[in-house]
Amino acid sequence: MTVQTAKPAALPAFIGGEKKNLIGGKWVPASSGETIPVINPATGGSLGSIAASGSTDVDAAVAAARAAFEGEWSSWTPDQRRKLILKIHDVLLENFDELAMIETLDMGAPLARTKPLSGWTSQVLQFFAGQVGAGTVAAPENSLPGDFLTLRYRPPVGVVGGIIPWNGPLIGLWWIFGPALATGCTAVLKPAEDASLSVLRIAELMTEAGVPDGVINVVTGYGKDAGHALAEHHGVDRIAFTGSVGTAQTIVRASAGNLKRLQLELGGKSPDIVFADADLDKAVPGAAMGVYTNSGQVCVAGTRIFVQRPIHEEFVARMTEFTKTIRVGNGLDPDTQLGPLISQRQLDRVLGYIDVGNKEAKLAAGGNRLGGDHADGFYVEPTVFAGATNDMTIAQEEIFGPVATVIPFDTMDEAITLANATPYGLAGGLWTENLGTAHKVSQAIQAGTVWVNCYGVLDPSIGFGGTKMSGYGWKGGREHVESYLYDKAVYLNLG
């Protein structure tokens, strides 16, 4: 398997140079003057730099968000906020080819993945526009003596801090900005230092669309500096974080100072169960891409594939052949299906797990680095390990790369037990033609989302979340919007 190369393409004008923070409607460098290089993971080449922000910059962003929350923004009507979100929708769709290319250049996902996100972006923005007004006033009856009117309000919580990962910033930022705009909150977003460019460009377009100064703020930098400062800041009322369990535990401790609300979406080691009656024409590519999508850099990836023993050998053979057909390469090539990993660090991590897998199980496909040295990008072959057991390292630890572990099982009860034998509970899947099996197993899997005869589909009006060590809180749906509000009761004595 070789790396698909791409013809030279004209880069968006936004690419290159030093990118600054958006604070209070102004683009400003980090107070330290320090920057972080931006590397194209497909080539190892430079895409410019971003601000290496710290606590001083976070202080300024939070102050700007607080001033906006308590200022003009608080007087905006629901109709004005709804129209603003729809204006942002139109501006982004007009510029989405540029946004898709920026995302591809910055984090490696192929244009075949990033361009279709225009449809998802349209859907999610229309969803949040439709949720404006979630803080409706109610006037419940009361049992107080005298003449009292009791009201229930749902005001916005205030300043929201968001920390998102590098594996899909075009998607991740809307779980912060969308509900903030819908409810009247303001936001300070810290994107991952490995992939901040598309977030910065979207923030630029949002200001052009008419978002008032300070309502959205973007501060780039390392997690240990800017991220930690945002998590512990007493001026932040809510933190939404997506990332690793270890970082989340640090954020939980940092948030204790003012008991800020938390929403955490963390790691996963999701099971995908293939029963003997499954349609393998659908289950093989479906389960494979449940692992390989975004080069395996997806928190819900179904990397533990449990296959019922009567079809185990056939499934492994067919998945191996399917894996060999996948085109890996530069995301600017329209035929590329899988791009590079995000960084040399992530490549080293994935290759380390492949080395472990070679000692634990049987390598059925892949297992090699592609593309030569650092200058050729951070590519790895999609990989299949067969004949594995659920207690192996490659079956228990999140690899975050295109590495599938196929594990045989005999009975439904065994499959359920194995699927739940993990500290994580983010997602899961199963493939069967039996409705009873589908219902029983989907109910038994301990996960926030379960897919049946499909994998990885997402509707923002439904949402998703995790259980166990995969976090808490809900993204999408009405519950997501309501988590940006708090409850207030008002007693009016009319006597």
Side-chain angles (χ1 to χ4, degrees), residues 125-261:
L125 283 169
Q126 290 186 72
F127 167 72
F128 283 120
Q131 294 299 306
V132 174
T136 303
V137 177
E141 289 186 283
N142 64 75
S143 300
L144 297 169
D147 189 8
F148 282 88
L149 173 65
T150 46
L151 303 175
R152 288 284 302 276
Y153 292 90
R154 304 295 307 281
V157 295
V159 177
V160 176
I163 302 172
I164 63 172
W166 43 260
N167 62 328
L170 266 181
I171 297 174
L173 87 168
W174 293 118
W175 300 126
I176 313 298
F177 286 163
L181 294 173
T183 60
C185 289
T186 57
V188 178
L189 181 63
K190 208 294 284 185
E193 63 270 17
D194 287 319
S196 295
L197 294 185
S198 59
V199 174
L200 291 167
R201 178 57 177 144
I202 287 174
E204 188 173 72
L205 291 170
M206 289 174 71
T207 61
E208 293 175 9
V211 176
D213 294 349
V215 170
I216 64 162
N217 304 271
V218 180
V219 178
T220 60
Y222 294 109
K224 64 182 177 62
D225 300 319
H228 183 77
L230 187 60
E232 70 176 4
H233 203 289
H234 284 212
V236 174
D237 302 296
R238 186 182 192 277
I239 284 284
F241 169 77
T242 300
S244 70
V245 172
T247 302
Q249 291 168 331
T250 300
I251 287 174
V252 171
R253 289 189 287 268
S255 70
N258 66 333
L259 297 178
K260 58 175 61 68
R261 299 181 178 201

Side-chain angles (χ1 to χ4, degrees), residues 301-383:
T303 52
R304 292 185 299 147
I305 304 177
F306 297 101
V307 181
Q308 203 156 23
R309 204 172 298 276
I311 61 167
H312 177 264
E313 289 188 10
E314 180 184 0
F315 181 91
V316 170
R318 292 177 65 163
M319 184 168 176
T320 297
E321 289 306 308
F322 176 84
T323 298
K324 292 177 181 178
T325 69
I326 295 173
R327 299 169 72 96
V328 180
N330 191 310
L332 297 180
D333 184 331
D335 294 324
T336 291
Q337 294 170 281
L338 298 187
L341 298 174
I342 186 68
S343 64
Q344 181 70 47
R345 180 181 66 255
Q346 188 65 16
L347 176 66
D348 292 342
R349 172 187 170 87
V350 172
L351 292 176
Y353 275 109
I354 290 175
D355 287 343
V356 172
N358 278 318
K359 298 180 179 69
E360 291 184 326
K362 177 185 176 182
L363 181 66
N368 298 304
R369 179 178 180 179
L370 298 171
D373 62 20
H374 179 282
D376 293 319
F378 313 123
Y379 299 97
V380 65
E381 288 181 307
T383 299

Side-chain angles (χ1 to χ4, degrees), residues 38 43 74 91 151 155 162 164 188 192 236 275 287 301 314 339 434 443 454:
V38 178
T43 65
S74 65
V91 169
L151 303 175
I164 63 172
V188 178
V236 174
F275 287 93
E314 180 184 0
N434 186 294
Q443 295 298 306
C454 59

